[in-house]
Amino acid sequence: MMVRDVSREVTHGMDEGSSTLVEMLLRQWDGEEVVIRYDRPAASWIVIAIHSTQRGPASGGTRMKSYPNLDLAVQDALRLSAAMTSKFVVAGLPQGGGKGVLAVPQGLSTEERAGLLRRYGSLIQTLGGLFQTGPDVGTSSADMNVISETAAPYIFGRTPDSGGSGDSGQPTAVGVFEGIRVTVRRLYGDNSLAGRRVVVQGVGSVGGPLAEYLVKAGADVLISDVNADAVERMHRHLGVGVITPEQVYDTPCDIFAPCALGAVLNRDTIARLRCRAVVGSANNQLETSADALRLKERGILYAPDFVVNVGGTISLAGGERMGWTRDEVERRIRDTVTQVLDQIYDLAAADDITTTEAAQRIVESQMHSAHA
Ligand code: PHE
């Protein structure tokens, strides 16, 4: 006979068996709260995930993108905001993690888009500083100027002529480049990039400047992007090789640098990879936590994304809230990425754990020491 455990139903008030995906996601999430609004004029969903305000206001970029449904937009916001909490610990800055997601229909007009940004700004304003945001995939510094009309002073990364620090893609690339050097030193004993082959997936605001730094350092760079114009421009500008988006996973190289969207490291792609290490800027590169182990088992060294891409955060929050100069920002990005990655690689090797696990342990101990 089956004995039903009614206590669970009493405490949750609902039968988990019939939960919607959003209910399940929120139960599993360890963050603080989520604000969801349907914006009728732009037929868009606004999702603001506030993961942690323990160390300071929940901060993180605003991602604008089309999602198949609200569940996937919420899932993205929850995961991305949690990564921001870790990123601010790594950066040593007094902020917590948050993320904004604007789930838009395809083909929004310029006016509809601007209207959505202003209403999103008003919503941020009502949160009174609990959530602060800046650019992310699908939004620019010019968009931050628009959001700022209704959400000042809670916006990072406005254009320099509006008093912001502008695009954080280039400072993010400084950190990724440093991460590649640290990783190459681990693999080969010296950090020279001369002749090392690096595959850069995505040549947008981070991948573009990264490819340029790599070429200058003498690396053999191959690029790929779903945007054919961007690839063509980079090819003409730098003379780098071009591969198709699908070839990215099968091309032999020293370093694979994912600089586009997340979840590119999964059961499927990891089996195909022919690189020695993965070091890139995309947020949430691992599709599931099991993928960290898959990489380890294949002997591929993985540089945790939220450490490698900390440069954007240091540039925006450090430059605009702490008053650091551009030189100081770049020095701090290089020092942070070098120190933290070295620490992660040492711990992962010593304890025979994945680099993701090592990174989590380091973040946790730093979080507690900051409170002590
Ligand atoms: N979106 C970037 C990131 O994920 C930059 C950013 C950092 C935006 C902090 C706002 C606040 O790191």
Side-chain angles (χ1 to χ4, degrees):
M1 195 183 83
M2 277 267 294
V3 180
R4 281 182 65 200
D5 177 6
V6 287
S7 64
R8 288 178 69 81
E9 284 168 47
V10 172
T11 48
H12 293 299
M14 266 186 274
D15 180 359
E16 289 194 40
S18 64
S19 291
T20 65
L21 185 54
V22 166
E23 286 169 4
M24 284 189 314
L25 288 170
L26 288 175
R27 277 204 197 94
Q28 282 161 15
W29 190 54
D30 62 349
E32 294 174 12
E33 68 175 304
V34 184
V35 177
I36 300 179
R37 177 186 289 182
Y38 182 64
D39 182 80
R40 200 168 300 282
S44 301
W45 289 99
I46 298 175
V47 183
I48 298 175
I50 295 172
H51 182 258
S52 172
T53 54
Q54 268 188 57
R55 290 162 49 95
S59 313
T62 294
R63 177 163 295 203
M64 188 188 284
K65 173 179 164 191
S66 295
Y67 292 84
N69 55 51
L70 175 65
D71 289 339
L72 294 175
V74 171
Q75 183 174 42
D76 220 14
L78 299 185
R79 293 186 60 190
L80 289 163
S81 68
M84 288 309 302
T85 299
S86 302
K87 213 182 288 193
F88 277 111
V89 172
V90 167
L93 288 165
Q95 251 104 13
K99 204 86 183 188
V101 164
L102 300 176
V104 293
Q106 260 150 30
L108 215 56
S109 74
T110 313
E111 299 86 77
E112 285 168 331
R113 195 172 181 283
L116 171 64
L117 291 175
R118 288 192 192 97
R119 291 185 295 277
Y120 172 58
S122 305
L123 178 57
I124 292 173
Q125 189 64 254
T126 66
L127 297 175
L130 199 62
F131 173 68
Q132 310 198 353
T133 198
D136 194 70
V137 173
T139 60
S140 64
S141 287
D143 292 332
M144 295 308 123
N145 293 351
V146 178
I147 301 176
S148 219
E149 291 171 20
T150 47
Y154 307 126
I155 305 301
F156 296 104
R158 283 166 298 146
T159 57
D161 57 12
S162 300
S165 59
D167 183 18
S168 59
Q170 183 269 336
T172 308
V174 168
V176 183
F177 179 71
E178 208 54 38
I180 290 176
R181 294 230 304 209
V182 172
T183 306
V184 164
R185 178 158 35 78
R186 276 284 145 164
L187 294 173
Y188 306 108
D190 83 274
N191 68 4
S192 165
L193 295 183
R196 297 284 174 212
R197 176 175 278 182
V198 184
V199 167
V200 180
Q201 178 185 44
V203 286
S205 66
V206 182
L210 173 66
E212 199 153 347
Y213 289 137
L214 291 167
V215 167
K216 280 201 192 118
D220 167 16
V221 180
L222 293 177
I223 61 165
S224 132
D225 201 299
V226 288
N227 176 347
D229 291 342
V231 167
E232 180 54 29
R233 236 178 295 127
M234 289 302 287
H235 171 66
R236 259 186 286 130
H237 176 50
L238 295 174
V240 290
V242 175
I243 54 178
T244 67
E246 266 308 299
Q247 285 173 321
V248 157
Y249 305 109
D250 311 301
T251 304
C253 60
D254 297 290
I255 306 286
F256 169 42
C259 297
L261 288 177
V264 294
L265 302 172
N266 51 50
R267 184 195 290 275
D268 219 46
T269 57
I270 292 170
R272 289 160 62 185
L273 287 179
R274 299 182 65 192
C275 59
R276 294 285 309 275
V278 179
V279 189
S281 67
N283 278 312
N284 294 351
Q285 291 166 33
L286 302 173
E287 189 170 294
T288 69
S289 51
D291 295 311
L293 198 58
R294 291 195 177 101
L295 286 165
K296 180 173 182 283
E297 280 166 358
R298 284 222 45 213
I300 297 170
L301 191 56
Y302 172 62
D305 45 17
F306 66 86
V307 178
V308 174
N309 67 21
V310 75
T313 296
I314 294 181
S315 159
L316 291 169
E320 297 184 18
R321 298 286 194 269
M322 314 294 275
W324 297 340
T325 63
R326 206 184 161 86
D327 282 352
E328 199 171 352
V329 161
E330 292 210 359
R331 182 181 56 73
R332 283 179 188 263
I333 292 170
R334 278 194 293 268
D335 289 354
T336 304
V337 173
T338 308
Q339 279 167 19
V340 180
L341 265 191
D342 265 332
Q343 228 183 326
I344 289 170
Y345 290 155
D346 283 342
L347 179 59
D351 286 9
D352 193 27
I353 54 177
T354 66
T355 50
T356 309
E357 169 77 34
Q360 273 154 4
R361 285 193 199 168
I362 289 165
V363 163
E364 254 153 56
S365 74
Q366 284 184 5
M367 241 189 174
H368 295 132
S369 67
H371 275 285

